[in-house]
Amino acid sequence: MTLPCITDARRFDVGAHLPFHIGDERVGWIRENDVALLARWPDVFEIDGDADNARVTLAPHFDNVTARSAALGSVIGALAAEGRIPGWRNETYAIRNAFDATPLAYIERAASRFFGTMTYAVHLNGVVEYAERAPQLWIARRSDTKATDPGMLDNVVAGGIGWGFGIEATLVKECWEEAGIAADLAREARAGRTVHVLQSLPEGTQAEQIFVYDLALPADFVPHNQDGEVGEHRLARIDETARWIEEGAMTVDASLATLDCLLRRQWIDEDACEGIAAIFEPPTL
């Protein structure tokens, strides 16, 4: 069985994008149709349309992180004002191809998909295990006002990692904001695997590494959203959750994070997840 989330996690057409470079390092992907928008700033971007070396490069005279951030910020602000970059978040993301790498520039979170830069997120599987019956998972439904995937099913906790936050600090913060999970309990979460997503979306490219965690939650615990980003929570059987994944009712990110949990705990058979191994390895382009 081929699950839609696995296919979607690699639904990316390299030929429809130009690589975005800072210096010699490719840091993102820009849709061909969006390249013309950037041509309005010839002092900021160098655009090479040659078939063998087509790319968009940040002009080399922006030679430090402050200058690069300022130059990109002015462009991003203009594009957002024109509606080209939706869902402004007032959150800072770093442009970096590895989580522990030194940032090359800082940008508004909403612009990361326009430029196709690497982003990082944490997803938490809230697991409830019982002595005499099958385990269950807490599943969230995203608020209808969310900028991305409104109303879809999600992990009980999920959030992007902004600049200045570590993985565990983000996990603790998001646990409280999205589910009312206290810090002491959140710190008991155990790391799963890292999921790698590269997919085309209406707002651009999602190039993201998702750090997956599991947390054993007490049987009497009920999540309570604190920040308005979750519409509801529901406690679901494993077969229900698997059906939602198969039907595409869950976000791609949450589906993959949940499958990681189900596979590691041997609650589903890997043979039922054709192609799943690929999402635990970075895409090769």
Side-chain angles (χ1 to χ4, degrees), residues 4-13 17 29 31 112-114 116-117 148-149 152 195-208 210 250-254 256 283 285:
C5 60
I6 298 173
T7 304
D8 290 344
R10 289 292 188 273
R11 194 180 299 280
F12 181 75
D13 181 5
H17 298 76
W29 296 96
R31 292 175 294 193
S112 59
R113 292 185 177 180
F114 181 93
T117 55
T148 56
D149 298 324
M152 293 192 71
V195 169
H196 298 265
V197 175
L198 180 64
Q199 65 168 330
S200 295
L201 297 170
E203 63 269 27
T205 299
Q206 179 190 12
E208 188 158 85
I210 301 169
M250 295 184 74
T251 69
V252 169
D253 303 358
L256 298 175
L285 297 174

Side-chain angles (χ1 to χ4, degrees), residues 2 43 86 186 199 213 263 273 279:
T2 300
D43 58 325
Q199 65 168 330
Y213 283 77
L263 288 166
C273 305
I279 61 101

